[in-house]
Amino acid sequence: MSEDIHCCSSNSPQRRCTLPSPGCRVTTAGGSGFLHVRHTRRRLSGIAWARFGRCFVHHGTILDCEEKDWDFTMNINVRSMYLMIKTFLPKMLAQKSGNIINMSSVASSIKGVVNRCVYSTSKAAVIGLTKSVAIDFIEQGIRCNCICPGTVDTPSLRERIQARPNPEQALADFLARQKTGRMATAEEVAHLCVYLASDESAYVTGNAHIIDGGWGL
């Protein structure tokens, strides 16, 4: 597969998107402001597909969630995808083809998770956004899916574990809920991204794709 891949994130532009797919040219658009998003659109000549996926994980129940926590989480986890899709979709429509992959989570409308109130709410919104875009533009050649991982072993997760009062116990708690005895790797999630971006998934749209090692069972 030889494609131009555009990964759009509200994270730092110093982080780069890499995919296990030879022949792909990857562009990462970092930054959360709408002006930055519009600038990125102007410098891209065409869109094969776009993956949107930065997130923030708030720890706590609704009683632990202040309004600023709610607003920050929704801005990072949902509004960023709204801005990106709204910006890049017109080019996709103009070329009568496009493939959008959003990053949601099993902690959403799929599964209730302790101390993940606002995070789960935001990720449920991503599923709703994905299905809305898919049905609104299916006849114009646009596909839109989202990926719903379980617990993935990433630097972000390790940072959150180290921030807990007892990091060793926090890690043990994360592993205890994994029916396979381990967490997912980022590479395993990336392979699902590649499938959804490929022609092999041409008949797939509007779906929430779970990759959680059976955590949601």
Side-chain angles (χ1 to χ4, degrees), residues 38-101:
R38 288 194 300 183
H39 170 73
T40 300
R41 180 179 65 175
R42 285 197 296 269
R43 66 186 175 85
L44 297 178
S45 58
I47 303 279
W49 65 274
R51 198 277 289 174
F52 308 135
R54 167 77 155 108
C55 75
F56 170 74
V57 182
H58 176 270
H59 181 86
T61 71
I62 191 170
L63 298 178
D64 303 310
C65 180
E66 302 296 334
E67 286 188 34
K68 62 180 178 60
D69 300 320
W70 180 276
D71 292 343
F72 184 77
T73 299
M74 290 299 177
N75 279 337
I76 293 294
N77 294 1
V78 186
R79 187 172 183 268
S80 61
M81 294 187 190
Y82 154 76
L83 289 174
M84 291 293 187
I85 294 172
K86 191 175 176 65
T87 298
F88 288 97
L89 184 56
K91 277 201 169 185
M92 294 178 172
L93 291 171
Q95 65 192 24
K96 297 181 173 59
S97 68
N99 189 352
I100 298 166
I101 305 170

Side-chain angles (χ1 to χ4, degrees), residues 189-206:
V189 178
H191 282 298
L192 179 53
C193 285
V194 171
Y195 165 71
L196 291 175
S198 71
D199 292 339
E200 282 73 15
S201 66
Y203 207 60
V204 178
T205 190

Side-chain angles (χ1 to χ4, degrees), residues 16-204:
R16 290 291 177 258
C17 171
T18 58
L19 288 171
S21 186
C24 293
R25 182 170 64 89
V26 179
T27 300
T28 302
S32 58
F34 188 56
L35 289 177
H36 179 91
V37 174
R38 288 194 300 183
H39 170 73
T40 300
R41 180 179 65 175
R42 285 197 296 269
R43 66 186 175 85
L44 297 178
S45 58
I47 303 279
W49 65 274
R51 198 277 289 174
F52 308 135
R54 167 77 155 108
C55 75
F56 170 74
V57 182
H58 176 270
H59 181 86
T61 71
I62 191 170
L63 298 178
D64 303 310
C65 180
E66 302 296 334
E67 286 188 34
K68 62 180 178 60
D69 300 320
W70 180 276
D71 292 343
F72 184 77
T73 299
M74 290 299 177
N75 279 337
I76 293 294
N77 294 1
V78 186
R79 187 172 183 268
S80 61
M81 294 187 190
Y82 154 76
L83 289 174
M84 291 293 187
I85 294 172
K86 191 175 176 65
T87 298
F88 288 97
L89 184 56
K91 277 201 169 185
M92 294 178 172
L93 291 171
Q95 65 192 24
K96 297 181 173 59
S97 68
N99 189 352
I100 298 166
I101 305 170
N102 294 321
M103 193 62 67
S104 183
S105 173
V106 169
S108 58
S109 53
I110 296 171
K111 177 181 176 63
V113 179
V114 174
N115 288 320
R116 289 293 182 271
C117 177
V118 63
Y119 175 80
S120 296
T121 302
S122 70
K123 290 302 185 177
V126 172
I127 294 176
L129 174 64
T130 297
K131 290 182 177 292
S132 294
V133 172
I135 193 62
D136 283 340
F137 299 100
I138 189 171
E139 295 181 1
Q140 289 97 320
I142 306 301
R143 293 197 293 127
C144 186
N145 292 282
C146 65
I147 294 176
C148 300
T151 307
V152 184
D153 193 355
T154 63
S156 172
L157 175 66
R158 295 289 174 167
E159 288 171 6
R160 286 188 281 120
I161 288 174
Q162 289 303 313
R164 303 303 300 158
N166 186 339
E168 289 186 6
Q169 184 59 51
L171 176 59
D173 291 342
F174 273 114
L175 290 173
R177 71 188 192 185
Q178 310 305 314
K179 295 180 173 63
T180 57
R182 68 173 181 86
M183 294 180 280
T185 67
E187 288 75 15
E188 288 171 318
V189 178
H191 282 298
L192 179 53
C193 285
V194 171
Y195 165 71
L196 291 175
S198 71
D199 292 339
E200 282 73 15
S201 66
Y203 207 60
V204 178

